[in-house]
Amino acid sequence: MTGAPAEFEVLLTQGAEQDLEAIYDYIAEFDCVANANHVLDQLMRVVNSLSRFSQRGSYPKELLALGIKEYRQTSFKPYRVNYRVTGDRVIIFLIADGRRDMQSVLARRLLG
């Protein structure tokens, strides 16, 4: 008999919080506030779902090509949420439009 999945604490880095704010601001300015709210709500749903399903994400292919398997990603297309599971925590490092040059974005944010 199996129980419910363990709950993980989900934390956003300052960079990830800034990513959400920038995405919201961009959509609100160039589309409309209603759509910005919708995208923000959906991204937060994805982020919060990691508290129960932290291992569901795939390894980013850009990092996998370098042999790095400590980060995972999930998405609300076209946005990618990159995170790392550490103990009982899920740490969100990056939320970005997947149509960008993700190799550069991931290298800058995750590999320093």
Side-chain angles (χ1 to χ4, degrees), residues 7-11 54 83-91:
E7 290 279 330
F8 287 79
E9 180 180 17
V10 178
L11 304 170
S54 63
Y83 65 96
R84 182 178 184 180
V85 178
T86 306
D88 63 349
R89 293 183 172 169
V90 174
I91 303 169

Side-chain angles (χ1 to χ4, degrees), residues 30-112:
F30 293 103
D31 191 355
C32 68
V33 172
N35 286 344
N37 286 330
H38 172 73
V39 170
L40 182 62
D41 289 346
Q42 293 304 312
L43 285 170
M44 289 310 300
R45 182 174 294 169
V46 168
V47 164
N48 291 329
S49 73
L50 293 171
S51 70
R52 295 192 55 151
F53 305 105
S54 63
Q55 300 297 324
R56 77 170 187 189
S58 62
Y59 297 111
K61 65 182 179 191
E62 299 86 356
L63 297 178
L64 203 53
L66 301 173
I68 299 171
K69 289 185 174 182
E70 59 191 270
Y71 297 97
R72 292 181 174 267
Q73 69 180 6
T74 189
S75 66
F76 171 67
K77 294 205 184 243
Y79 301 100
R80 289 169 54 175
V81 177
N82 294 88
Y83 65 96
R84 182 178 184 180
V85 178
T86 306
D88 63 349
R89 293 183 172 169
V90 174
I91 303 169
I92 311 294
F93 286 93
L94 172 72
I95 302 171
D97 187 323
R99 298 170 291 192
R100 293 175 60 190
D101 175 10
M102 291 303 290
Q103 186 76 34
S104 298
V105 173
L106 290 168
R108 239 185 350 265
R109 183 76 60 88
L110 301 180
L111 306 178

